[in-house]
Amino acid sequence: MDDRQVPPDYNEVGQHGVFPKANHDERARFNFLASLNGHLSRQVLPGVASAFEARAVKKFSAEQGHEPQTLKEMRECMKSDGYYQTWSSMRRNSMEMRQQAGRSLVLRQINDINSRARTLNDNDEQLQLDPSLTVPHYVSAVDIHCMPGCYYTELTEGDVSAGANYDCGLFATTGGMLGRYSDGGGQAIVQWLQNKQEDYQPKRILDIGCTVGHNIVPLAQAFPESEIVAIDVAAPVLRYAHARARSLGVNNITFVQANAENLEQFEDGSFDLIISCMFLHETSSKALPRILGETHRLLAIGGRVLHVEQPQYDQSMPLFEKFMRDWDTFNNNEPFWGAMHDMDLYEEMVKVGFDRSQMTSVEIAAVVDESIFPSAANDEAEDYGRKPTWHVYVAAEQTEQST
Amino acid sequence: MSNPDSPLDIDHIAEAGRKAKGKRPQFFNLEESERLMAILMAVVGELAVTRQRLDTLERLLEKNGTLNREAIESFHPDTTEARQRGLMQQEYISRVLRILQQEKESLEQTTKSGPEKSLEQVSSDLGKS
């Protein structure tokens, strides 16, 4: 079939100033993982639904006298199904292989990458690290998406390897659907903002949980007059993000090591655009309301908050789909994923002071150079959570607040 | 401060393969199967890498009649070549994961029109009619 979607070669991934230099086999490894992930989600995954219908639900009903009615029962129903076991095992293995591939590429040249980062970062006021900051328990409880050492571990002084590993493997997890600089999410936000309002020019932007800054750089490029603050709790990714942005010629972002639950260094109403990208699900049920509360306090009148996430589980979502979307909670070290998607985010935002009538949601898909990279918007396969198509929660602060 | 050319102060091979914090889930009934699948998928991956390297060698030899190692390391397929290589990967993966495709087809068949008959059943049916 000639219309098969084929990921581009790893050579097409953008080479900025701190990107690890991959040899032939390292690129081939990522090419393989991109194809494997594509195969698992397009060819293998649909069979999980058939396995549920054809046998697992019948077996469960025969034993229990009823079909599974809760997520717990769904897990019980599926866990002994051989096809589901094999798909799950391969999906887990492909993530572990991606981590090893990224780390082996990065760590063999760790001194060179750290040195390149240092050259771009040294004595720069736009990189503000806070060694006294404690990594919150929701970041340290497990290594998120099976990244050994998570975002925050430093192997040597001034280490950026966590950032480099995160950045270089995004291609494999999404089959190239995030585009040349894995920034299709940021590009999509820019496109949505510019379509909504001509000559839109936010004065001050905050990005919460920025990791390597791949989502905020497109906003910095689209709004060069804006003053941008990007925060994260982890120093290695911030060092990498700052060096990455500088090498791409971006000079209007200040990267700050801070915990989004308490941003007292910033004044009330001091940002007119606040974004987070696939971040809220990496927090906790206690932290989330505090973070939303800070966004409400920091948002200027007339400003907007955008949270890019996957859709919430609601009454209308079939139990099987919820179960599939929940897979990462237990099997990909994303322990808050399920609980967060079960929450009513609008309700949580109302609790911290946002006006329900000023909230909306939109669907966006990664914006990429479609002459080379595959478009997630045109991809019909449903992989329940990995594909870069998102649900954006938008809250505005348009009225005089009684704060 | 480490110099970019100085020897690494970490064991980069061991570090690359480190375990992520968090108990690893077990998907199969036997932990032996879990272990074997992990090893098997790693071999599947490395064979894919070898096949791609072989393809690079062939392309360079065909184009230049000779080659050096640097040409392999810096090989950058054009869009058409990248697509050919991507399709080769897809065919290779479909080949090694054949058993899942066939089980999926059998499951779809069961969902649509009931479980497939066993060969014993078909044989017995044919003996009677």
Side-chain angles (χ1 to χ4, degrees):
Chain A
M1 237 166 73
D2 198 46
D3 58 352
R4 260 179 181 265
Q5 191 184 88
V6 177
D9 191 271
Y10 193 76
N11 268 297
E12 304 300 340
V13 176
Q15 303 290 305
H16 53 71
V18 275
F19 203 75
K21 291 172 183 155
N23 64 30
H24 179 281
D25 290 2
E26 288 162 341
R27 295 195 298 274
R29 222 162 259 135
F30 281 133
N31 285 338
F32 165 72
L33 288 168
S35 294
L36 176 65
N37 288 327
H39 185 90
L40 288 178
S41 60
R42 289 192 194 90
Q43 313 296 329
V44 181
L45 190 150
V48 177
S50 302
F52 171 67
E53 283 176 50
R55 61 191 183 200
V57 68
K58 291 180 182 146
K59 184 162 169 270
F60 184 91
S61 301
E63 287 165 9
Q64 307 291 326
H66 62 84
E67 291 191 5
Q69 283 154 359
T70 61
L71 279 173
K72 197 166 173 233
E73 287 182 346
M74 271 303 289
R75 286 198 289 279
E76 203 49 41
C77 167
M78 292 301 282
K79 78 175 188 192
S80 56
D81 187 89
Y83 190 93
Y84 169 75
Q85 290 175 344
T86 308
W87 167 74
S88 292
S89 176
M90 287 183 181
R91 181 144 139 147
R92 170 80 184 203
N93 272 294
S94 94
M95 182 55 93
E96 290 173 350
M97 288 161 75
R98 169 262 172 270
Q99 296 302 342
Q100 188 177 33
R103 286 170 66 82
S104 61
L105 161 63
V106 168
L107 297 180
R108 73 167 169 80
Q109 54 189 309
I110 186 173
N111 289 355
D112 176 50
I113 298 173
N114 284 341
S115 148
R116 282 190 267 155
R118 218 165 21 242
T119 307
L120 287 153
N121 288 344
D122 261 1
N123 302 316
D124 195 318
E125 285 178 357
Q126 286 190 311
L127 176 62
Q128 298 174 7
L129 300 181
D130 176 6
S132 72
L133 189 119
T134 312
V135 174
H137 75 281
Y138 48 86
V139 177
S140 64
V142 298
D143 287 341
I144 293 170
H145 12 90
C146 305
M147 296 182 292
C150 206
Y151 299 107
Y152 59 88
T153 299
E154 302 188 9
L155 297 175
T156 61
E157 195 189 334
D159 191 20
V160 302
S161 62
N165 172 48
Y166 180 81
D167 192 17
C168 74
L170 287 166
F171 170 89
T173 316
T174 59
M177 280 194 225
L178 280 177
R180 187 179 304 283
Y181 289 103
S182 298
D183 62 356
Q187 302 280 7
I189 294 175
V190 168
Q191 192 181 72
W192 183 79
L193 288 168
Q194 290 179 334
N195 284 346
K196 197 163 175 60
Q197 189 181 330
E198 238 174 275
D199 302 324
Y200 177 67
Q201 188 66 243
K203 284 196 280 298
R204 209 151 171 257
I205 307 173
L206 176 66
D207 178 17
I208 303 173
C210 66
T211 63
V212 297
H214 53 310
N215 291 309
I216 193 64
V217 162
L219 276 89
Q221 289 166 327
F223 309 118
E225 303 302 316
S226 303
E227 183 194 335
I228 301 176
V229 176
I231 66 162
D232 202 285
V233 293
V237 295
L238 286 166
R239 288 188 197 105
Y240 184 84
H242 179 265
R244 179 186 180 280
R246 276 277 189 248
S247 82
L248 289 167
V250 168
N251 298 313
N252 54 334
I253 310 175
T254 302
F255 290 91
V256 180
Q257 188 172 13
N259 183 331
E261 295 168 71
N262 177 1
L263 295 171
E264 61 189 2
Q265 63 267 54
F266 303 113
E267 282 178 28
D268 294 4
S270 57
F271 292 94
D272 51 353
L273 177 62
I274 300 178
I275 68 161
S276 78
C277 261
M278 295 301 283
F279 162 71
L280 297 178
H281 69 264
E282 291 182 8
T283 65
S284 75
S285 52
K286 277 195 182 141
L288 183 63
R290 292 188 197 126
I291 295 167
L292 296 176
E294 280 297 73
T295 65
H296 183 255
R297 180 182 71 77
L298 293 169
L299 194 64
I301 304 285
R304 254 191 221 112
V305 175
L306 266 66
H307 296 295
V308 178
E309 282 292 333
Q310 290 283 331
Q312 281 164 287
Y313 308 160
D314 62 21
Q315 300 291 329
S316 67
M317 189 182 277
L319 188 60
F320 179 79
E321 180 176 348
K322 275 189 206 174
F323 163 72
M324 292 300 282
R325 288 188 172 278
D326 223 27
W327 190 92
D328 287 77
T329 309
F330 302 100
N331 302 310
N332 193 30
N333 283 6
E334 305 235 41
F336 187 50
W337 179 279
M340 186 270 178
H341 288 94
D342 248 346
M343 292 168 99
D344 183 343
L345 262 196
Y346 298 115
E347 185 54 35
E348 295 298 320
M349 287 196 267
V350 167
K351 280 188 206 159
V352 300
F354 286 102
D355 179 351
R356 182 67 184 84
S357 70
Q358 300 296 320
M359 284 178 216
T360 177
S361 65
V362 283
E363 309 297 322
I364 61 169
V367 171
V368 300
D369 173 0
E370 289 183 29
S371 68
I372 295 173
F373 293 91
S375 158
N378 300 335
D379 185 30
E380 285 167 14
E382 176 55 80
D383 72 350
Y384 305 108
R386 293 280 170 81
K387 191 167 66 173
T389 54
W390 303 283
H391 191 80
V392 188
Y393 299 88
V394 185
E397 192 76 273
Q398 283 182 339
T399 49
E400 289 296 324
Q401 291 295 310
S402 54
T403 43
Chain B
M1 282 291 146
S2 49
N3 178 300
D5 301 320
S6 66
L8 300 180
D9 34 22
I10 58 163
D11 176 348
H12 71 283
I13 295 174
E15 274 294 340
R18 248 182 60 193
K19 176 190 172 296
K21 183 177 176 188
K23 191 174 188 307
R24 193 183 192 282
Q26 181 175 322
F27 302 102
F28 295 110
N29 303 336
L30 293 174
E31 59 181 90
E32 290 88 330
S33 308
E34 210 64 55
R35 218 174 275 138
L36 284 174
M37 177 64 90
I39 296 171
L40 181 61
M41 289 310 289
V43 175
V44 164
E46 290 310 297
L47 181 56
V49 170
T50 308
R51 287 169 59 100
Q52 195 156 102
R53 194 169 182 97
L54 194 58
D55 179 72
T56 302
L57 285 174
E58 287 172 4
R59 286 173 196 274
L60 287 169
L61 278 171
E62 191 173 53
K63 212 180 287 174
N64 308 328
T66 179
L67 53 84
N68 59 56
R69 201 168 290 218
E70 177 44 34
I72 301 170
E73 296 307 341
S74 61
F75 181 70
H76 186 155
D78 66 27
T79 315
T80 311
E81 289 173 323
R83 183 171 172 80
Q84 288 166 349
R85 285 154 65 97
L87 284 169
M88 280 164 59
Q89 292 270 18
Q90 293 189 358
E91 195 189 350
Y92 163 73
I93 291 167
S94 300
R95 202 179 290 276
V96 295
L97 300 187
R98 180 201 71 252
I99 192 66
L100 286 177
Q101 178 185 345
Q102 296 181 353
E103 186 171 354
K104 183 177 74 168
E105 287 173 16
S106 167
L107 287 163
E108 284 164 355
Q109 175 71 26
T110 305
T111 314
K112 216 171 6 175
S113 44
E116 280 185 291
K117 284 181 183 169
S118 68
L119 261 292
E120 286 80 359
Q121 183 68 52
V122 176
S123 171
S124 153
D125 289 352
L126 288 177
K128 287 184 213 149
S129 59

